[in-house]
PDB file of all heavy atoms in Angstrom:
ATOM      1  N   PRO A 205     -16.627   0.319 -17.246  1.00 87.00           N
ATOM      2  CA  PRO A 205     -16.331   0.306 -18.683  1.00 87.00           C
ATOM      3  C   PRO A 205     -17.060   1.439 -19.407  1.00 87.00           C
ATOM      4  O   PRO A 205     -18.202   1.757 -19.081  1.00 87.00           O
ATOM      5  CB  PRO A 205     -16.852  -1.063 -19.140  1.00 87.00           C
ATOM      6  CG  PRO A 205     -16.885  -1.901 -17.906  1.00 87.00           C
ATOM      7  CD  PRO A 205     -17.211  -0.961 -16.784  1.00 87.00           C
ATOM      8  N   CYS A 242      -3.423  26.379 -29.685  1.00 96.00           N
ATOM      9  CA  CYS A 242      -4.330  26.412 -30.839  1.00 96.00           C
ATOM     10  C   CYS A 242      -4.986  25.059 -31.111  1.00 96.00           C
ATOM     11  O   CYS A 242      -6.040  24.990 -31.754  1.00 96.00           O
ATOM     12  CB  CYS A 242      -3.595  26.898 -32.083  1.00 96.00           C
ATOM     13  SG  CYS A 242      -2.239  25.833 -32.609  1.00 96.00           S
ATOM     14  N   LEU A 322     -27.916 -11.702 -23.126  1.00 31.00           N
ATOM     15  CA  LEU A 322     -28.288 -11.411 -24.504  1.00 31.00           C
ATOM     16  C   LEU A 322     -27.034 -11.384 -25.344  1.00 31.00           C
ATOM     17  O   LEU A 322     -26.112 -10.621 -25.063  1.00 31.00           O
ATOM     18  CB  LEU A 322     -28.997 -10.049 -24.572  1.00 31.00           C
ATOM     19  CG  LEU A 322     -30.167  -9.903 -23.582  1.00 31.00           C
ATOM     20  CD1 LEU A 322     -30.712  -8.500 -23.657  1.00 31.00           C
ATOM     21  CD2 LEU A 322     -31.238 -10.916 -23.873  1.00 31.00           C
ATOM     22  N   HIS A 438      -5.698   6.354 -50.770  1.00 94.00           N
ATOM     23  CA  HIS A 438      -6.424   7.068 -51.829  1.00 94.00           C
ATOM     24  C   HIS A 438      -7.051   8.373 -51.333  1.00 94.00           C
ATOM     25  O   HIS A 438      -7.134   9.348 -52.087  1.00 94.00           O
ATOM     26  CB  HIS A 438      -7.507   6.171 -52.409  1.00 94.00           C
ATOM     27  CG  HIS A 438      -6.984   4.887 -52.966  1.00 94.00           C
ATOM     28  ND1 HIS A 438      -6.213   4.833 -54.100  1.00 94.00           N
ATOM     29  CD2 HIS A 438      -7.103   3.601 -52.526  1.00 94.00           C
ATOM     30  CE1 HIS A 438      -5.876   3.579 -54.349  1.00 94.00           C
ATOM     31  NE2 HIS A 438      -6.395   2.811 -53.407  1.00 94.00           N
TER      32      HIS A 438
END
Side-chain angles (χ1 to χ4, degrees):
C242 63
L322 308 175
H438 302 291

